[in-house]
Amino acid sequence: MVLSKRVYFLFLCLIGFISPPVQAAVKQYQFDIQVKNVSRLCHAKPIVTVNGRFPGPTIYVREGDRVLVNVTNHAQYNMSIHWHGLKQFRNGWADGPAYITQCPIKTGRSYTYDFNVTGQRGTLWWHAHILWLRATVYGAIVIMPKPGTPFPFPQPHMEEVIIFGEWWNNDVEEIVKQGNKLGLPPNASDAHTINGKPGPLFPCSEKYTFAMEVEQGKTYLLRIINAALNDELFFAIAGHNMTVVEIDAVYTKPFTTQAILIAPGQTTNVLVQATQSPGRYFMAARPFMDAPLSIDNKTATAILQYKGISNSVLPILPQLPAPNDTVFALGYNSKLRSLNAPQFPANVPLKVDRHLFYTIGLGMNPCPYCLNGTQLTASLNNITFVMPKIGLLQAHYFNIKGVFRTDFPDNPPTPFNYTGAPLTANLGTTSGTRLSKIAYNSTVQLVLQDTNLLTVESHPFHLHGYNFFVVGTGIGNFDPKKDLAKFNLVDPPERNTVGVPTGGWTAIRFRADNPGLWFMHCHLELHTGWGLKTAFVVENGKGPDQSILPPPKDLPPC
């Protein structure tokens, strides 16, 4: 398997350097959603998979390719697949979030996701976007540069996908249902995984350990993806530094670090040089949590093994940051900068047409059937999002009335000391399917502000259909008078998922040049389920290529 991957990678690189310009290829994949029995941690259970694989297959494409993925659902659950980070220009029909851009694929039905990979190269990923099914339905997307376009960093000898996940011994959907009945969070996962395997620190896991063989003196590219449902993760390799060269499929100014921090939904590419004494070294992932909340804090491990070293050699464990190391987390994120080279410019909007300020809050609403008569909930600007019964994009495109409103407020209803002492009274939220309408090609600045409603907590936010620039972040309450002056408008990190720090704020900017209806939500599955989400309706422009494409004929019916 290692050999075939290496040969394929070298072949892609070789044709990239010697091929004349060619027309974009059409890449076709078949995804069969099927249930398979899988064993981890001494527990066997049926899980939902793609093609019987866990994690699912990696999609390999080139920048400029057209991709057709036919998804056939053989499982008992409704299904939809999101291609996380792909911009889907004018083509929200291929984006995938259930009841946002499509109705789900019912059991026994198929749908072909048909999209172009335009102006993007790097590591992205795909996952189920309905219920908590992405616990097992996920995989990588590797986008190679156009032929003749080298990486803007030293060419690696080989590459490997490293994808983090979470494992529950029991049925995840049943665990979530039980939590919802009680009005409480469901049980935390029983393990984290690396490429579907928890590693030898867990029971019955000796054979469920991912290993990567390296050769002395060679350089390797790791494409790292956090597909965990609810945990930001630290990752390190014993004895080896990593050089960060890309985040969320955007090249960065390279910097070297002993560990990385990666939130759910994010990707990070790093170079690793195999220059240590030949041996076996643990790669390890463990959660970062700097709020007073209980989590699955166990460490997943994989092995970096030098060629010729016996499996009997005990691996060395890396020194990971402490689980609550806020200083490392903030310092690491502050080092992320767009490459901003002539070939890969950072086109940061300098003038802002629309200023948005959204507070992130937890809350508590009455619930007659719940354990304490109340149910935990979450909101943006005190609005808990209610999922519709049909796809919002269909409602928008066909002008179906009564499905959603476009009166989502640009600012919170009542300003307060957002990150002061914990607020435990008046925690009710309003509910509704309320969206924000954005003019085509306008520039948007959105400040996401954490609050101490019940507790402060970090939140990774993902915007569909766009990348954005992270122009500022800080701890405490956002203060436009002093914080605007500190914004980085030259080379800020560009990404599709950003962490809002615990008890702090993050400011992003983007140009609304992709017409459609685009979901924005916390990528902690727990909070998304509680209503920490909304969507933008980006209006059509006046030009011929500035409006939503017509829906495909096989779009799943509602």
Side-chain angles (χ1 to χ4, degrees), residues 312-480:
S312 62
V313 175
L314 289 175
I316 302 161
L317 267 170
Q319 191 75 38
L320 286 163
N324 63 348
D325 194 340
T326 306
V327 172
F328 178 90
L330 294 174
Y332 172 82
N333 283 325
S334 71
K335 293 174 188 171
L336 298 171
R337 292 278 187 273
S338 289
L339 185 61
N340 195 23
Q343 195 175 0
F344 307 106
N347 296 315
V348 188
L350 302 180
K351 175 181 146 292
V352 175
D353 299 318
R354 184 84 173 270
H355 290 267
L356 306 176
F357 184 85
Y358 291 178
T359 54
I360 304 163
L362 300 180
M364 209 172 271
N365 284 333
C367 174
Y369 58 81
C370 294
L371 183 66
N372 299 319
T374 57
Q375 185 169 38
L376 285 168
T377 189
S379 68
L380 287 167
N381 281 354
N382 207 47
I383 298 167
T384 297
F385 190 84
V386 176
M387 292 295 280
K389 298 289 190 277
I390 70 167
L392 292 176
L393 183 58
Q394 285 104 311
H396 171 55
Y397 186 85
F398 293 110
N399 200 25
I400 302 170
K401 304 296 183 189
V403 179
F404 64 86
R405 290 157 48 184
T406 54
D407 61 349
F408 192 93
D410 287 3
N411 295 282
T414 310
F416 60 98
N417 182 8
Y418 307 114
T419 55
L423 299 166
T424 55
N426 302 318
L427 293 173
T429 66
T430 60
S431 298
T433 311
R434 297 171 66 181
L435 283 56
S436 187
K437 187 177 278 191
I438 307 289
Y440 177 79
N441 210 39
S442 62
T443 53
V444 179
Q445 176 177 294
L446 168 61
V447 176
L448 292 160
Q449 172 72 61
D450 188 30
T451 66
N452 207 350
L453 293 162
L454 285 180
T455 181
V456 289
E457 188 177 351
S458 63
H459 300 271
F461 264 82
H462 172 47
L463 176 59
H464 291 227
Y466 287 91
N467 280 356
F468 49 73
F469 293 97
V470 186
V471 294
T473 190
I475 301 300
N477 298 340
F478 175 68
D479 181 348

Side-chain angles (χ1 to χ4, degrees), residues 39-44 167 169 190-193 196-209 296 298-301:
S39 177
R40 297 287 187 275
L41 274 61
C42 319
H43 288 75
W167 172 265
N169 287 330
D190 295 291
H192 294 96
T193 58
K197 299 172 180 179
L201 304 186
F202 289 89
C204 304
S205 295
E206 289 80 5
K207 68 176 182 177
Y208 297 117
T209 301
D296 168 12
K298 302 178 203 75
T299 303
T301 52

Side-chain angles (χ1 to χ4, degrees), residues 93-110:
W93 312 109
D95 192 39
Y99 300 108
I100 304 297
T101 58
Q102 67 168 93
C103 286
I105 307 163
K106 296 186 171 81
T107 304
R109 301 287 185 87
S110 297

